[in-house]
Amino acid sequence: MTTAGSVRAEGDHGDRGGLRTALAGLTTRGRSFLAAGAAAAVCAYVLGQSDLLRVGLLLAVLPPVCAGVLYRTRYRVAGSRRLSPSRVPAGSEARVHLRMDNVSRMPTGLLMLQDRVPYVLGPRPRFVLDRVEAGGRREVSYRVRSDLRGRYPLGPLQLRLSDPFGMCELTRAFSTYDTLTVIPRVEPLPPVRLSGEAKGHGDGRQRSLALAGEDDLIPRGYRYGDDLRRVHWRSTARYGELMVRREEQPQRARCSVLLDTRAVAYAGAGPDSAFEWAVSGAASVLTHMLERGFSVRLLTDTGASVPGEGSDGFAGASQGSADTAGLMMDTLAVVDHSDGAGLSRAYDVVRGGSEGLLVAFLGDLDEEQAAVLARMRQRSGGAVAFLLDSGTWMREPANASGPPDDGGKWSRMLREAGWTVVGVPRGASLEEQWRLADRELSGLAAASGGEGAG
């Protein structure tokens, strides 16, 4: 939840420009009274009716008097906004809570509250607040929803003041606004063995020491509070001081998720497009791997990654996992098509990193990009590619016949390089494709094991 800073909307007074603004705020009723008063005054002059002249003057004077009183009324109103939640998946709703506090010593009149929101979040909300007593508070709320990822500003909040007769309205705008982040949809994934290793090798995960290296395995000097059962007596005799054994450092699996954002690789747009499926898939895999304790890294075809990410990515299964996931989701919320035509920059990043599982979400490929991906496989312990063919995604599911086209010879080229390739048809479930990749990888491992036994 986020809270907007409270601000004050207060009537200005003392200048002619402000008075003209107040007169410009006359409502239809106020302008009608003014016109009726002028007409009555003219008729009274022509007909010589003094009583009609008094009525005309009353009608004509009432709107300016109401405007002047409203303009000089010192309304001091503080407003705040709270989002619940401030980060919401695409297609889900968030609730916006507005609170108005009357911080003056006098009650307010009728207040009309309006919040400014982008059109993709829904209609502009409007509320009518009755008289707010001195020191009183009013709270209202509305819902917003978007099927499109992005960061959307909410505000500024506008307050319209009205006099008791409805002759004049003045608008006061607050200066603060909040931002609603709409992140990609995250689909829960089942635990599978996507590793590229045979069974019996540490659960098939490429591992590395989480902290330093083999230097941490030698004994170190005794520190106050160390358990005496960890004293290494042989080293103690050698160095002449108490030495204790270091605890075995935890090892952490690594996973890199490559998101192809090239504009030339995708066709179509909207929440049901191939690119949005790829972004949602990358978000789901990143979240799943973080929950499993992997050290994850997000890459795009431009070589860019999440701001603040280390060379080995973000660590999972820690107290900061929720913050890490939120940072990655914020990055994916605003990711867009790139102008690049190749994956060479991403290859340079993968080549300089450590081995681990590589999961790629790819659009249309050509021979050059398929060759780059084949070289990427050499720097990973396991590689899984979800290939989204534009030709398949541009057809309606009812018109698609036969097995999905998974890229033809480029798919075969990746398989020959060691990739596990899954062609993604339009409207496919990521969970099903995730299980399919696991089955294909298990089949390859069994086949290679059978050939070795023969």
Side-chain angles (χ1 to χ4, degrees):
M1 297 182 182
T2 59
T3 303
S6 297
V7 294
R8 296 175 187 247
E10 183 175 342
D12 300 325
H13 40 82
D15 60 287
R16 295 181 179 178
L19 185 57
R20 287 195 298 267
T21 301
L23 292 176
L26 289 176
T27 62
T28 302
R29 179 185 299 177
R31 297 178 186 275
S32 299
F33 267 64
L34 192 62
V42 171
C43 291
Y45 177 77
V46 173
L47 300 176
Q49 298 290 330
S50 59
D51 294 336
L52 183 59
L53 178 61
R54 296 188 186 95
V55 174
L57 291 177
L58 176 62
L59 294 177
V61 169
L62 183 59
V65 170
C66 291
V69 171
L70 179 63
Y71 175 72
R72 292 184 176 275
T73 299
R74 303 189 59 174
Y75 285 147
R76 301 177 61 196
V77 182
S80 63
R81 181 190 300 103
R82 178 171 55 88
L83 306 183
S84 177
S86 60
R87 184 188 292 118
V88 62
S92 301
E93 291 184 344
R95 183 168 289 274
V96 183
H97 301 269
L98 304 177
R99 191 182 76 180
M100 304 301 300
D101 295 283
N102 182 11
V103 297
S104 64
R105 297 181 179 180
M106 61 180 300
T108 68
L110 187 66
L111 303 179
M112 283 167 282
L113 191 63
Q114 176 178 279
D115 206 5
R116 184 175 299 176
V117 301
Y119 72 95
V120 296
L121 297 182
R124 182 170 295 183
R126 294 180 175 90
F127 305 93
V128 177
L129 305 180
D130 292 332
R131 176 179 177 273
V132 182
E133 66 278 4
R137 173 188 303 173
R138 296 292 185 271
E139 295 185 4
V140 293
S141 65
Y142 64 93
R143 294 178 296 180
V144 291
R145 180 182 181 274
S146 174
D147 292 328
L148 300 175
R149 300 176 293 107
R151 293 173 61 86
Y152 301 102
L154 300 179
L157 194 63
Q158 291 183 339
L159 190 66
R160 288 196 298 172
L161 311 176
S162 177
D163 66 282
F165 299 101
M167 298 289 180
C168 182
E169 290 181 355
L170 295 181
T171 301
R172 295 287 181 261
F174 294 81
S175 60
T176 58
Y177 66 92
D178 284 295
T179 301
L180 176 68
T181 303
V182 181
I183 63 176
R185 296 184 181 93
V186 175
E187 187 173 344
L189 301 178
V192 295
R193 299 177 59 85
L194 295 177
S195 59
E197 291 278 350
K199 295 182 179 180
H201 293 276
D203 289 339
R205 291 194 273 180
Q206 296 291 328
R207 296 184 174 273
S208 61
L209 288 177
L211 298 180
E214 295 183 356
D215 292 342
D216 280 345
L217 302 180
I218 63 175
R220 60 169 175 81
Y222 174 83
R223 298 171 185 168
Y224 179 78
D226 286 338
D227 191 347
L228 293 178
R229 290 175 295 184
R230 292 172 50 201
V231 174
H232 194 270
W233 297 110
R234 181 178 300 177
S235 299
T236 298
R238 178 183 301 176
Y239 293 103
E241 60 177 340
L242 279 177
M243 305 292 291
V244 297
R245 295 187 300 272
R246 293 181 183 269
E247 295 289 347
E248 183 179 356
Q249 299 295 340
Q251 295 181 334
R252 182 177 299 128
R254 294 190 175 98
C255 175
S256 297
V257 176
L258 172 62
L259 176 62
D260 183 7
T261 63
R262 295 173 298 134
V264 297
Y266 299 94
D272 296 328
S273 63
F275 180 67
E276 292 301 323
W277 194 98
V279 174
S280 177
S284 302
V285 172
L286 288 169
T287 303
H288 176 71
M289 290 303 182
L290 275 174
E291 293 174 350
R292 293 190 62 190
F294 277 67
S295 178
V296 298
R297 177 175 58 176
L298 172 63
L299 296 176
T300 65
D301 56 286
T302 62
S305 59
V306 179
E309 182 180 275
S311 59
D312 292 334
F314 289 105
S318 62
Q319 294 181 353
S321 295
D323 296 336
T324 299
L327 185 59
M328 289 187 170
M329 293 303 105
D330 289 345
T331 302
L332 289 174
V334 296
V335 70
D336 202 354
H337 291 294
S338 67
D339 297 330
L343 301 171
S344 57
R345 293 183 180 178
Y347 170 71
D348 294 337
V349 176
V350 173
R351 182 179 58 181
S354 302
E355 295 183 355
L357 176 62
L358 176 61
V359 181
F361 293 87
L362 306 169
D364 293 338
L365 301 176
D366 54 28
E367 184 175 0
E368 180 182 356
Q369 308 317 317
V372 172
L373 289 168
R375 294 196 300 269
M376 282 188 192
R377 175 63 182 88
Q378 301 173 2
R379 294 297 304 169
S380 60
V384 180
F386 294 94
L387 199 57
L388 293 85
D389 179 66
S390 294
T392 302
W393 277 79
M394 292 303 292
R395 294 196 302 265
E396 293 293 336
N399 298 331
S401 59
D405 183 9
D406 57 1
K409 63 178 182 179
W410 312 133
S411 177
R412 292 191 296 272
M413 184 175 177
L414 294 181
R415 288 193 175 98
E416 292 173 357
W419 282 82
T420 299
V421 182
V422 178
V424 182
R426 181 178 180 180
S429 168
L430 178 60
E431 180 182 0
E432 296 176 357
Q433 304 303 306
W434 188 252
R435 293 185 184 275
L436 178 59
D438 179 54
R439 288 196 297 269
E440 289 194 8
L441 187 60
S442 300
L444 291 175
S448 60
E451 292 176 0

